[in-house]
Structures are given as C-alpha cells and as structure tokens.
Amino acid sequence: MRFKGLHHVEFSVLSYEESVKFFDKMFGWLGYKSFWTLDIGYRSTYYMARYPFFHSYIGIQPATAGPRLNHTEHSAGIHHVALWARSRKEIDAFYADFLLRNRIEVTDPPAEYPTYSPGYYAVFFNDPLTGIHFELSHTPLLPSVTSFLGWIRELKKIWREHPEWPKAPWRESMRQLPSRKDQL
C-alpha cells in the first residue's frame, strides 16, 4: 500500500486575480499556507496544508482559453494531476517499463527540476484516451546536500535576474493568508 497518493493538482482558472482572492480566503480560513511561483517559467499560486513538510497541495493558474465551467456539464478543468512516486528509481522504471513499452506520449522525460524544490524529479505524460496530462514525481523527504545546494544555487541565479525582489526567492514567494480570526 502506498503511503502517499496525490502529489498536487493544478487548476486553470478564469479571472486569476479574483480567483486568488477567493482561494486565499477559503484556504486561509482552513489554516493552509500559500506560496506562488514568482512567475518563474509560469504563473501559479499554491495552497499547502502541511507546510513546511512537503505534501499534497493545490495550485491555480490563469486559463488562456475556455468558457466558465458548469459543474452540471462535467466539463474538464484540471491542468494536470501529479502522483507521488516512491523514488527516482520508480520513476525511471515507470518511464522505461510502462510509458515507453506502451507507447504512451511522454511530454517531458524523467528529469530533475531544481527550481521546484531540492531533489524534485519527475516525468510528464498524456493519457492516450482523453489527453489528461499527468506527472509522476518524487520529492525526497530529506534531500541530498548536493540537491539542496543545487536548489539554492538555481534560486540565487534567478534572484540576480530580479533586483526588484528585496528578499531571497524562498522568502519572497511566501504569502500571508487571512486567518479565520482575521475574517470575523
């Protein structure tokens, strides 16, 4: 039995800024923490229940097309679904023994993503029937010193490109949410 199931979910939303305000209130009331991407490669705001212990989280990003969803129509609205992997080795085996063997469309082969978090490793692929985009990802509970230093090095490089950020990216990206008490 797996210890972890869903890694994270990203939703594409209309009226991004207004959606962030709504989700800030909802997740703030529930006691979640929030961070955003600082527009590094893409724009997304995340909500995480077990901060600072990396676990399942929910992200929202601006939609580029599509109508407002109607739940009674059961329209698609998820950007991608990320599933937890036990290890990098499991991702590599899944890639070779399942994805390639079954000729599943792989959009990004297994790789480390040092801007996401220390040791973050993933493969991205599409469901061949409906085109749902999936990610199988692993984030080590205790990253190696090499992975941690690589993450810091990558974020410092990005920070040099953004002199408008008064704090380091790992601090600048953190957001304050209104608490339940603040909303009374």
Side-chain angles (χ1 to χ4, degrees):
M1 180 170 187
R2 289 189 177 268
F3 174 69
K4 298 177 181 177
L6 193 63
H7 188 279
H8 67 275
V9 176
E10 300 238 358
F11 297 98
S12 296
V13 297
L14 299 171
S15 304
Y16 177 76
E17 297 300 331
E18 291 303 309
S19 292
V20 168
K21 288 178 187 176
F22 167 75
F23 285 117
D24 279 358
K25 283 185 168 183
M26 184 181 81
F27 287 116
W29 195 93
L30 294 169
Y32 279 61
K33 299 291 183 187
S34 178
F35 64 100
W36 74 297
T37 61
L38 302 172
D39 294 336
I40 300 170
Y42 62 99
R43 172 172 278 190
S44 198
T45 299
Y46 297 100
Y47 301 93
M48 184 171 27
R50 291 181 58 192
Y51 179 80
F53 302 104
F54 197 88
H55 199 274
S56 300
Y57 59 92
I58 297 155
I60 62 166
Q61 56 186 247
T64 57
R68 185 176 186 280
L69 297 175
N70 180 334
H71 77 279
T72 60
E73 294 174 353
H74 302 281
S75 298
I78 259 183
H79 177 268
H80 73 275
V81 176
L83 307 171
W84 279 101
R86 291 183 180 105
S87 64
R88 286 174 170 232
K89 189 176 181 179
E90 183 179 44
I91 291 170
D92 291 337
F94 178 76
Y95 172 71
D97 298 338
F98 180 78
L99 295 174
L100 294 181
R101 184 170 287 161
N102 291 290
R103 295 186 177 106
I104 304 296
E105 180 187 3
V106 174
T107 59
D108 296 281
E112 188 163 332
Y113 293 86
T115 58
Y116 294 176
S117 68
Y120 194 107
Y121 190 78
V123 62
F124 294 83
F125 57 97
N126 290 327
D127 162 14
L129 299 173
T130 57
I132 296 171
H133 196 51
F134 283 92
E135 172 185 354
L136 181 62
S137 54
H138 174 71
T139 305
L141 182 60
L142 295 171
S144 70
V145 172
T146 303
S147 291
F148 182 77
L149 293 175
W151 176 69
I152 294 292
R153 197 169 29 259
E154 185 71 21
L155 291 181
K156 282 183 176 180
K157 182 179 112 185
I158 293 166
W159 191 14
R160 285 191 295 275
E161 298 168 3
H162 292 276
E164 73 276 14
W165 296 347
K167 298 180 277 186
W170 50 90
R171 297 203 192 289
E172 189 71 27
S173 66
M174 294 308 298
R175 302 175 62 247
Q176 184 66 40
L177 295 177
S179 69
R180 184 183 304 188
K181 184 178 175 183
D182 295 338
Q183 295 183 47
L184 295 177

